[in-house]
Amino acid sequence: MSGPPPAVAAVRSAVRPGLRGSPQPVLVAVSGGGDSLALAAAVAFEAPRAGVPAGAVTVDHGLQPGSPGRARRTADLVRDLGLDPVLVLPVTVGADGGPEGAARTARYAALAGAAAGHGARVALGHTLDDQAETVLLGLGRGSGPRSVAGMVAERPPFWRPLLGVRRSVTREACAALGLPVWDDPWNTDPAHRRARLRAEVLPLLEDVLGGGVAPALARTAEQLREDLDALDGLAAGHLARLAGDGCLPAGELAALPAALRRRVLRGWLRNGGVPDLQATHLGAVDALLTGWRGQGPVALPGGAEAFRASGRLVLRPAGCRGGRARPAADPRPVPDPEEQHP
């Protein structure tokens, strides 16, 4: 008895370990494109064998004519695969971050809400090719090592089992299974940066460098992420040790290597409730340690301030006139805002 077509087998093999490794229910985020449809079919096949409840969710961004009907047809398709429940979530897309960024924000908020409501993790169909594009975008923005390290396979509630699978394989899997793939026109619209990377930049790099660029970028992201995770773990230990009363000892912190020191500061500020922390803010707070000349408080997003007093760094929350620090709520590392997802 012959097995499934190679592409189908490859996608199933990618999801199998994650399903067998956790009993938590799964919701597959399905757009109707080849990547998410192949993922949905693989999860529908493997989840019952692993004893894991599996459903699906499709987000209607409302940005294209006929999008509600498209979302319903996608829901019917994955329901026929055996996934249950199947949710259709309309969202309102704002204006912040441009069309791509605003749509991404609305989508991830809806998916996170569905995960919380069903006690599930959300399976996303990002492939090795998406990872390569993310690395290039991070390099081009100069937005820090976490951005260049790309997407992580597991960050609750999100699960990306296809980061080692090529986009061509998911398309082949859909063709082998007779699944009708919908190609989102945004994915080929040159007005969108990621679409141009996909259509112009990566093919050019493949030609100039003789092939293998996408897998090489994905390997680079994985190797860099291992290093960053190790640094984050060390920084979390220093933060737990140094911030016992919510303040940080300036001298001891200043003696740490910059890569650790800035991670400690980032965790301290974000655990203290500072939103939208940018590199400029972090650099200004770091200067209270490494360039101390008696300067005044550093204004931070959300109205908080960081200042140095009696040899310690203090975080003054928004609206607080006193000099008491806000205690760090959790010494563990927090998700890095530099990380970008498609």
Side-chain angles (χ1 to χ4, degrees), residues 159-191:
W159 172 44
R160 297 179 176 86
L162 303 186
L163 290 179
V165 177
R166 297 301 302 264
R167 186 177 293 133
S168 59
V169 173
T170 63
R171 302 280 299 203
E172 290 172 16
C174 289
L177 294 170
L179 296 174
V181 172
W182 175 65
D183 290 313
D184 187 341
W186 274 36
N187 290 336
T188 55
D189 186 347

PDB file of all heavy atoms in Angstrom, residues 159-191:
ATOM      1  N   TRP A 159       1.872  28.779  17.352  1.00  0.00           N
ATOM      2  CA  TRP A 159       2.694  27.622  17.005  1.00  0.00           C
ATOM      3  C   TRP A 159       2.906  27.629  15.493  1.00  0.00           C
ATOM      4  O   TRP A 159       1.956  27.690  14.733  1.00  0.00           O
ATOM      5  CB  TRP A 159       1.988  26.334  17.453  1.00  0.00           C
ATOM      6  CG  TRP A 159       2.611  25.060  16.994  1.00  0.00           C
ATOM      7  CD1 TRP A 159       3.931  24.736  16.993  1.00  0.00           C
ATOM      8  CD2 TRP A 159       1.914  23.915  16.480  1.00  0.00           C
ATOM      9  NE1 TRP A 159       4.112  23.450  16.512  1.00  0.00           N
ATOM     10  CE2 TRP A 159       2.896  22.930  16.201  1.00  0.00           C
ATOM     11  CE3 TRP A 159       0.570  23.618  16.252  1.00  0.00           C
ATOM     12  CZ2 TRP A 159       2.570  21.681  15.675  1.00  0.00           C
ATOM     13  CZ3 TRP A 159       0.238  22.371  15.742  1.00  0.00           C
ATOM     14  CH2 TRP A 159       1.232  21.417  15.457  1.00  0.00           C
ATOM     15  N   ARG A 160       4.168  27.606  15.082  1.00  0.00           N
ATOM     16  CA  ARG A 160       4.515  27.639  13.657  1.00  0.00           C
ATOM     17  C   ARG A 160       5.278  26.359  13.290  1.00  0.00           C
ATOM     18  O   ARG A 160       6.503  26.334  13.311  1.00  0.00           O
ATOM     19  CB  ARG A 160       5.378  28.867  13.351  1.00  0.00           C
ATOM     20  CG  ARG A 160       4.686  30.199  13.604  1.00  0.00           C
ATOM     21  CD  ARG A 160       5.613  31.360  13.312  1.00  0.00           C
ATOM     22  NE  ARG A 160       4.960  32.644  13.445  1.00  0.00           N
ATOM     23  CZ  ARG A 160       4.836  33.319  14.574  1.00  0.00           C
ATOM     24  NH1 ARG A 160       5.378  32.828  15.701  1.00  0.00           N
ATOM     25  NH2 ARG A 160       4.209  34.473  14.617  1.00  0.00           N
ATOM     26  N   PRO A 161       4.581  25.307  12.924  1.00  0.00           N
ATOM     27  CA  PRO A 161       5.265  24.034  12.651  1.00  0.00           C
ATOM     28  C   PRO A 161       5.916  23.930  11.280  1.00  0.00           C
ATOM     29  O   PRO A 161       6.651  22.975  11.027  1.00  0.00           O
ATOM     30  CB  PRO A 161       4.134  23.005  12.780  1.00  0.00           C
ATOM     31  CG  PRO A 161       2.898  23.757  12.422  1.00  0.00           C
ATOM     32  CD  PRO A 161       3.111  25.176  12.891  1.00  0.00           C
ATOM     33  N   LEU A 162       5.662  24.891  10.377  1.00  0.00           N
ATOM     34  CA  LEU A 162       6.135  24.758   8.997  1.00  0.00           C
ATOM     35  C   LEU A 162       7.349  25.622   8.684  1.00  0.00           C
ATOM     36  O   LEU A 162       7.670  25.830   7.515  1.00  0.00           O
ATOM     37  CB  LEU A 162       5.009  25.112   8.009  1.00  0.00           C
ATOM     38  CG  LEU A 162       3.716  24.309   8.121  1.00  0.00           C
ATOM     39  CD1 LEU A 162       2.769  24.675   6.977  1.00  0.00           C
ATOM     40  CD2 LEU A 162       3.972  22.818   8.140  1.00  0.00           C
ATOM     41  N   LEU A 163       8.065  26.098   9.694  1.00  0.00           N
ATOM     42  CA  LEU A 163       9.205  26.968   9.427  1.00  0.00           C
ATOM     43  C   LEU A 163      10.354  26.250   8.732  1.00  0.00           C
ATOM     44  O   LEU A 163      11.262  26.899   8.215  1.00  0.00           O
ATOM     45  CB  LEU A 163       9.706  27.605  10.729  1.00  0.00           C
ATOM     46  CG  LEU A 163       8.789  28.660  11.346  1.00  0.00           C
ATOM     47  CD1 LEU A 163       9.386  29.201  12.641  1.00  0.00           C
ATOM     48  CD2 LEU A 163       8.513  29.800  10.368  1.00  0.00           C
ATOM     49  N   GLY A 164      10.320  24.934   8.691  1.00  0.00           N
ATOM     50  CA  GLY A 164      11.329  24.180   7.953  1.00  0.00           C
ATOM     51  C   GLY A 164      10.831  23.647   6.618  1.00  0.00           C
ATOM     52  O   GLY A 164      11.525  22.867   5.956  1.00  0.00           O
ATOM     53  N   VAL A 165       9.636  24.071   6.203  1.00  0.00           N
ATOM     54  CA  VAL A 165       9.000  23.573   4.975  1.00  0.00           C
ATOM     55  C   VAL A 165       8.957  24.691   3.947  1.00  0.00           C
ATOM     56  O   VAL A 165       8.588  25.825   4.262  1.00  0.00           O
ATOM     57  CB  VAL A 165       7.576  23.053   5.271  1.00  0.00           C
ATOM     58  CG1 VAL A 165       6.886  22.592   3.996  1.00  0.00           C
ATOM     59  CG2 VAL A 165       7.614  21.926   6.298  1.00  0.00           C
ATOM     60  N   ARG A 166       9.320  24.383   2.710  1.00  0.00           N
ATOM     61  CA  ARG A 166       9.295  25.376   1.651  1.00  0.00           C
ATOM     62  C   ARG A 166       7.867  25.667   1.191  1.00  0.00           C
ATOM     63  O   ARG A 166       6.987  24.803   1.221  1.00  0.00           O
ATOM     64  CB  ARG A 166      10.124  24.923   0.435  1.00  0.00           C
ATOM     65  CG  ARG A 166      11.607  24.734   0.674  1.00  0.00           C
ATOM     66  CD  ARG A 166      12.272  26.008   1.158  1.00  0.00           C
ATOM     67  NE  ARG A 166      12.132  27.136   0.264  1.00  0.00           N
ATOM     68  CZ  ARG A 166      13.046  27.501  -0.640  1.00  0.00           C
ATOM     69  NH1 ARG A 166      14.176  26.786  -0.775  1.00  0.00           N
ATOM     70  NH2 ARG A 166      12.874  28.564  -1.377  1.00  0.00           N
ATOM     71  N   ARG A 167       7.644  26.873   0.729  1.00  0.00           N
ATOM     72  CA  ARG A 167       6.340  27.261   0.209  1.00  0.00           C
ATOM     73  C   ARG A 167       5.927  26.398  -0.981  1.00  0.00           C
ATOM     74  O   ARG A 167       4.747  26.056  -1.130  1.00  0.00           O
ATOM     75  CB  ARG A 167       6.370  28.739  -0.186  1.00  0.00           C
ATOM     76  CG  ARG A 167       5.035  29.313  -0.615  1.00  0.00           C
ATOM     77  CD  ARG A 167       5.158  30.793  -0.919  1.00  0.00           C
ATOM     78  NE  ARG A 167       5.455  31.560   0.282  1.00  0.00           N
ATOM     79  CZ  ARG A 167       6.406  32.490   0.351  1.00  0.00           C
ATOM     80  NH1 ARG A 167       7.158  32.751  -0.704  1.00  0.00           N
ATOM     81  NH2 ARG A 167       6.601  33.156   1.466  1.00  0.00           N
ATOM     82  N   SER A 168       6.882  26.034  -1.802  1.00  0.00           N
ATOM     83  CA  SER A 168       6.563  25.185  -2.951  1.00  0.00           C
ATOM     84  C   SER A 168       6.005  23.838  -2.516  1.00  0.00           C
ATOM     85  O   SER A 168       5.155  23.258  -3.205  1.00  0.00           O
ATOM     86  CB  SER A 168       7.810  24.982  -3.812  1.00  0.00           C
ATOM     87  OG  SER A 168       8.850  24.381  -3.053  1.00  0.00           O
ATOM     88  N   VAL A 169       6.462  23.337  -1.363  1.00  0.00           N
ATOM     89  CA  VAL A 169       5.984  22.047  -0.865  1.00  0.00           C
ATOM     90  C   VAL A 169       4.523  22.150  -0.432  1.00  0.00           C
ATOM     91  O   VAL A 169       3.719  21.246  -0.683  1.00  0.00           O
ATOM     92  CB  VAL A 169       6.877  21.551   0.290  1.00  0.00           C
ATOM     93  CG1 VAL A 169       6.293  20.300   0.942  1.00  0.00           C
ATOM     94  CG2 VAL A 169       8.279  21.270  -0.231  1.00  0.00           C
ATOM     95  N   THR A 170       4.158  23.254   0.227  1.00  0.00           N
ATOM     96  CA  THR A 170       2.758  23.387   0.645  1.00  0.00           C
ATOM     97  C   THR A 170       1.844  23.504  -0.563  1.00  0.00           C
ATOM     98  O   THR A 170       0.733  22.972  -0.557  1.00  0.00           O
ATOM     99  CB  THR A 170       2.568  24.610   1.570  1.00  0.00           C
ATOM    100  OG1 THR A 170       2.874  25.817   0.863  1.00  0.00           O
ATOM    101  CG2 THR A 170       3.471  24.501   2.796  1.00  0.00           C
ATOM    102  N   ARG A 171       2.312  24.181  -1.601  1.00  0.00           N
ATOM    103  CA  ARG A 171       1.498  24.262  -2.824  1.00  0.00           C
ATOM    104  C   ARG A 171       1.330  22.879  -3.458  1.00  0.00           C
ATOM    105  O   ARG A 171       0.236  22.526  -3.911  1.00  0.00           O
ATOM    106  CB  ARG A 171       2.155  25.215  -3.832  1.00  0.00           C
ATOM    107  CG  ARG A 171       2.383  26.632  -3.346  1.00  0.00           C
ATOM    108  CD  ARG A 171       1.156  27.479  -3.394  1.00  0.00           C
ATOM    109  NE  ARG A 171       0.595  27.646  -4.723  1.00  0.00           N
ATOM    110  CZ  ARG A 171      -0.183  28.677  -5.065  1.00  0.00           C
ATOM    111  NH1 ARG A 171      -0.457  29.623  -4.184  1.00  0.00           N
ATOM    112  NH2 ARG A 171      -0.701  28.763  -6.261  1.00  0.00           N
ATOM    113  N   GLU A 172       2.410  22.117  -3.490  1.00  0.00           N
ATOM    114  CA  GLU A 172       2.332  20.770  -4.036  1.00  0.00           C
ATOM    115  C   GLU A 172       1.387  19.897  -3.215  1.00  0.00           C
ATOM    116  O   GLU A 172       0.638  19.071  -3.762  1.00  0.00           O
ATOM    117  CB  GLU A 172       3.723  20.142  -4.072  1.00  0.00           C
ATOM    118  CG  GLU A 172       4.662  20.749  -5.095  1.00  0.00           C
ATOM    119  CD  GLU A 172       6.072  20.224  -4.942  1.00  0.00           C
ATOM    120  OE1 GLU A 172       6.261  19.194  -4.273  1.00  0.00           O
ATOM    121  OE2 GLU A 172       6.997  20.857  -5.492  1.00  0.00           O
ATOM    122  N   ALA A 173       1.400  20.074  -1.912  1.00  0.00           N
ATOM    123  CA  ALA A 173       0.515  19.299  -1.045  1.00  0.00           C
ATOM    124  C   ALA A 173      -0.946  19.619  -1.341  1.00  0.00           C
ATOM    125  O   ALA A 173      -1.789  18.703  -1.429  1.00  0.00           O
ATOM    126  CB  ALA A 173       0.835  19.568   0.420  1.00  0.00           C
ATOM    127  N   CYS A 174      -1.255  20.895  -1.504  1.00  0.00           N
ATOM    128  CA  CYS A 174      -2.626  21.272  -1.828  1.00  0.00           C
ATOM    129  C   CYS A 174      -3.059  20.693  -3.177  1.00  0.00           C
ATOM    130  O   CYS A 174      -4.194  20.210  -3.321  1.00  0.00           O
ATOM    131  CB  CYS A 174      -2.762  22.795  -1.838  1.00  0.00           C
ATOM    132  SG  CYS A 174      -2.676  23.558  -0.207  1.00  0.00           S
ATOM    133  N   ALA A 175      -2.166  20.748  -4.150  1.00  0.00           N
ATOM    134  CA  ALA A 175      -2.495  20.197  -5.466  1.00  0.00           C
ATOM    135  C   ALA A 175      -2.741  18.692  -5.378  1.00  0.00           C
ATOM    136  O   ALA A 175      -3.686  18.160  -5.988  1.00  0.00           O
ATOM    137  CB  ALA A 175      -1.368  20.493  -6.452  1.00  0.00           C
ATOM    138  N   ALA A 176      -1.911  18.007  -4.612  1.00  0.00           N
ATOM    139  CA  ALA A 176      -2.062  16.558  -4.476  1.00  0.00           C
ATOM    140  C   ALA A 176      -3.368  16.188  -3.790  1.00  0.00           C
ATOM    141  O   ALA A 176      -3.964  15.137  -4.080  1.00  0.00           O
ATOM    142  CB  ALA A 176      -0.876  15.986  -3.700  1.00  0.00           C
ATOM    143  N   LEU A 177      -3.829  17.041  -2.881  1.00  0.00           N
ATOM    144  CA  LEU A 177      -5.063  16.766  -2.139  1.00  0.00           C
ATOM    145  C   LEU A 177      -6.297  17.356  -2.819  1.00  0.00           C
ATOM    146  O   LEU A 177      -7.418  17.197  -2.321  1.00  0.00           O
ATOM    147  CB  LEU A 177      -4.948  17.329  -0.720  1.00  0.00           C
ATOM    148  CG  LEU A 177      -3.898  16.666   0.175  1.00  0.00           C
ATOM    149  CD1 LEU A 177      -3.716  17.468   1.460  1.00  0.00           C
ATOM    150  CD2 LEU A 177      -4.289  15.223   0.499  1.00  0.00           C
ATOM    151  N   GLY A 178      -6.101  18.073  -3.911  1.00  0.00           N
ATOM    152  CA  GLY A 178      -7.218  18.682  -4.616  1.00  0.00           C
ATOM    153  C   GLY A 178      -7.839  19.849  -3.888  1.00  0.00           C
ATOM    154  O   GLY A 178      -9.027  20.138  -4.052  1.00  0.00           O
ATOM    155  N   LEU A 179      -7.038  20.568  -3.102  1.00  0.00           N
ATOM    156  CA  LEU A 179      -7.543  21.704  -2.341  1.00  0.00           C
ATOM    157  C   LEU A 179      -7.421  22.978  -3.169  1.00  0.00           C
ATOM    158  O   LEU A 179      -6.335  23.289  -3.665  1.00  0.00           O
ATOM    159  CB  LEU A 179      -6.758  21.865  -1.039  1.00  0.00           C
ATOM    160  CG  LEU A 179      -6.871  20.716  -0.036  1.00  0.00           C
ATOM    161  CD1 LEU A 179      -5.936  20.946   1.146  1.00  0.00           C
ATOM    162  CD2 LEU A 179      -8.314  20.558   0.436  1.00  0.00           C
ATOM    163  N   PRO A 180      -8.504  23.723  -3.331  1.00  0.00           N
ATOM    164  CA  PRO A 180      -8.448  24.961  -4.128  1.00  0.00           C
ATOM    165  C   PRO A 180      -7.755  26.080  -3.359  1.00  0.00           C
ATOM    166  O   PRO A 180      -8.217  26.513  -2.304  1.00  0.00           O
ATOM    167  CB  PRO A 180      -9.927  25.292  -4.367  1.00  0.00           C
ATOM    168  CG  PRO A 180     -10.636  24.686  -3.201  1.00  0.00           C
ATOM    169  CD  PRO A 180      -9.867  23.452  -2.815  1.00  0.00           C
ATOM    170  N   VAL A 181      -6.644  26.551  -3.867  1.00  0.00           N
ATOM    171  CA  VAL A 181      -5.845  27.581  -3.204  1.00  0.00           C
ATOM    172  C   VAL A 181      -6.301  28.959  -3.658  1.00  0.00           C
ATOM    173  O   VAL A 181      -6.476  29.207  -4.864  1.00  0.00           O
ATOM    174  CB  VAL A 181      -4.345  27.378  -3.523  1.00  0.00           C
ATOM    175  CG1 VAL A 181      -3.527  28.555  -2.999  1.00  0.00           C
ATOM    176  CG2 VAL A 181      -3.853  26.078  -2.916  1.00  0.00           C
ATOM    177  N   TRP A 182      -6.503  29.847  -2.705  1.00  0.00           N
ATOM    178  CA  TRP A 182      -6.813  31.239  -3.015  1.00  0.00           C
ATOM    179  C   TRP A 182      -5.550  32.059  -2.862  1.00  0.00           C
ATOM    180  O   TRP A 182      -4.893  32.037  -1.814  1.00  0.00           O
ATOM    181  CB  TRP A 182      -7.876  31.779  -2.067  1.00  0.00           C
ATOM    182  CG  TRP A 182      -8.153  33.244  -2.254  1.00  0.00           C
ATOM    183  CD1 TRP A 182      -8.686  33.850  -3.350  1.00  0.00           C
ATOM    184  CD2 TRP A 182      -7.898  34.283  -1.296  1.00  0.00           C
ATOM    185  NE1 TRP A 182      -8.784  35.208  -3.152  1.00  0.00           N
ATOM    186  CE2 TRP A 182      -8.312  35.502  -1.895  1.00  0.00           C
ATOM    187  CE3 TRP A 182      -7.373  34.313  -0.010  1.00  0.00           C
ATOM    188  CZ2 TRP A 182      -8.210  36.732  -1.250  1.00  0.00           C
ATOM    189  CZ3 TRP A 182      -7.267  35.533   0.643  1.00  0.00           C
ATOM    190  CH2 TRP A 182      -7.676  36.721   0.027  1.00  0.00           C
ATOM    191  N   ASP A 183      -5.188  32.777  -3.905  1.00  0.00           N
ATOM    192  CA  ASP A 183      -4.002  33.631  -3.867  1.00  0.00           C
ATOM    193  C   ASP A 183      -4.420  35.060  -3.548  1.00  0.00           C
ATOM    194  O   ASP A 183      -5.041  35.740  -4.363  1.00  0.00           O
ATOM    195  CB  ASP A 183      -3.264  33.582  -5.204  1.00  0.00           C
ATOM    196  CG  ASP A 183      -2.605  32.231  -5.440  1.00  0.00           C
ATOM    197  OD1 ASP A 183      -1.949  31.730  -4.512  1.00  0.00           O
ATOM    198  OD2 ASP A 183      -2.756  31.682  -6.549  1.00  0.00           O
ATOM    199  N   ASP A 184      -4.068  35.495  -2.351  1.00  0.00           N
ATOM    200  CA  ASP A 184      -4.389  36.844  -1.902  1.00  0.00           C
ATOM    201  C   ASP A 184      -3.667  37.851  -2.790  1.00  0.00           C
ATOM    202  O   ASP A 184      -2.434  37.819  -2.905  1.00  0.00           O
ATOM    203  CB  ASP A 184      -3.939  37.006  -0.446  1.00  0.00           C
ATOM    204  CG  ASP A 184      -4.383  38.320   0.173  1.00  0.00           C
ATOM    205  OD1 ASP A 184      -4.709  39.255  -0.569  1.00  0.00           O
ATOM    206  OD2 ASP A 184      -4.382  38.398   1.420  1.00  0.00           O
ATOM    207  N   PRO A 185      -4.407  38.770  -3.436  1.00  0.00           N
ATOM    208  CA  PRO A 185      -3.742  39.758  -4.308  1.00  0.00           C
ATOM    209  C   PRO A 185      -2.743  40.635  -3.566  1.00  0.00           C
ATOM    210  O   PRO A 185      -1.823  41.178  -4.175  1.00  0.00           O
ATOM    211  CB  PRO A 185      -4.906  40.573  -4.880  1.00  0.00           C
ATOM    212  CG  PRO A 185      -6.085  40.275  -4.023  1.00  0.00           C
ATOM    213  CD  PRO A 185      -5.875  38.912  -3.475  1.00  0.00           C
ATOM    214  N   TRP A 186      -2.888  40.788  -2.249  1.00  0.00           N
ATOM    215  CA  TRP A 186      -1.908  41.558  -1.495  1.00  0.00           C
ATOM    216  C   TRP A 186      -0.523  40.923  -1.570  1.00  0.00           C
ATOM    217  O   TRP A 186       0.491  41.610  -1.467  1.00  0.00           O
ATOM    218  CB  TRP A 186      -2.341  41.647  -0.025  1.00  0.00           C
ATOM    219  CG  TRP A 186      -3.284  42.779   0.256  1.00  0.00           C
ATOM    220  CD1 TRP A 186      -4.258  43.249  -0.570  1.00  0.00           C
ATOM    221  CD2 TRP A 186      -3.341  43.572   1.439  1.00  0.00           C
ATOM    222  NE1 TRP A 186      -4.928  44.274   0.026  1.00  0.00           N
ATOM    223  CE2 TRP A 186      -4.391  44.498   1.255  1.00  0.00           C
ATOM    224  CE3 TRP A 186      -2.622  43.588   2.621  1.00  0.00           C
ATOM    225  CZ2 TRP A 186      -4.731  45.436   2.230  1.00  0.00           C
ATOM    226  CZ3 TRP A 186      -2.961  44.527   3.600  1.00  0.00           C
ATOM    227  CH2 TRP A 186      -3.996  45.439   3.391  1.00  0.00           C
ATOM    228  N   ASN A 187      -0.480  39.600  -1.726  1.00  0.00           N
ATOM    229  CA  ASN A 187       0.808  38.904  -1.734  1.00  0.00           C
ATOM    230  C   ASN A 187       1.620  39.167  -2.990  1.00  0.00           C
ATOM    231  O   ASN A 187       2.807  38.831  -3.050  1.00  0.00           O
ATOM    232  CB  ASN A 187       0.598  37.400  -1.562  1.00  0.00           C
ATOM    233  CG  ASN A 187       0.125  37.047  -0.168  1.00  0.00           C
ATOM    234  OD1 ASN A 187       0.356  37.782   0.786  1.00  0.00           O
ATOM    235  ND2 ASN A 187      -0.551  35.905  -0.056  1.00  0.00           N
ATOM    236  N   THR A 188       0.997  39.737  -4.004  1.00  0.00           N
ATOM    237  CA  THR A 188       1.717  40.052  -5.240  1.00  0.00           C
ATOM    238  C   THR A 188       1.666  41.545  -5.573  1.00  0.00           C
ATOM    239  O   THR A 188       2.159  41.949  -6.620  1.00  0.00           O
ATOM    240  CB  THR A 188       1.133  39.252  -6.427  1.00  0.00           C
ATOM    241  OG1 THR A 188      -0.274  39.500  -6.534  1.00  0.00           O
ATOM    242  CG2 THR A 188       1.363  37.749  -6.233  1.00  0.00           C
ATOM    243  N   ASP A 189       1.090  42.326  -4.691  1.00  0.00           N
ATOM    244  CA  ASP A 189       0.971  43.761  -4.920  1.00  0.00           C
ATOM    245  C   ASP A 189       2.310  44.429  -4.595  1.00  0.00           C
ATOM    246  O   ASP A 189       2.753  44.418  -3.439  1.00  0.00           O
ATOM    247  CB  ASP A 189      -0.131  44.332  -4.028  1.00  0.00           C
ATOM    248  CG  ASP A 189      -0.414  45.804  -4.301  1.00  0.00           C
ATOM    249  OD1 ASP A 189       0.392  46.453  -5.003  1.00  0.00           O
ATOM    250  OD2 ASP A 189      -1.436  46.313  -3.806  1.00  0.00           O
ATOM    251  N   PRO A 190       2.978  45.036  -5.594  1.00  0.00           N
ATOM    252  CA  PRO A 190       4.287  45.648  -5.343  1.00  0.00           C
ATOM    253  C   PRO A 190       4.237  46.839  -4.394  1.00  0.00           C
ATOM    254  O   PRO A 190       5.287  47.335  -3.978  1.00  0.00           O
ATOM    255  CB  PRO A 190       4.756  46.067  -6.740  1.00  0.00           C
ATOM    256  CG  PRO A 190       3.517  46.163  -7.565  1.00  0.00           C
ATOM    257  CD  PRO A 190       2.581  45.138  -7.009  1.00  0.00           C
ATOM    258  N   ALA A 191       3.044  47.300  -4.047  1.00  0.00           N
ATOM    259  CA  ALA A 191       2.943  48.380  -3.068  1.00  0.00           C
ATOM    260  C   ALA A 191       3.329  47.897  -1.674  1.00  0.00           C
ATOM    261  O   ALA A 191       3.622  48.713  -0.797  1.00  0.00           O
ATOM    262  CB  ALA A 191       1.520  48.945  -3.047  1.00  0.00           C
TER     263      ALA A 191
END
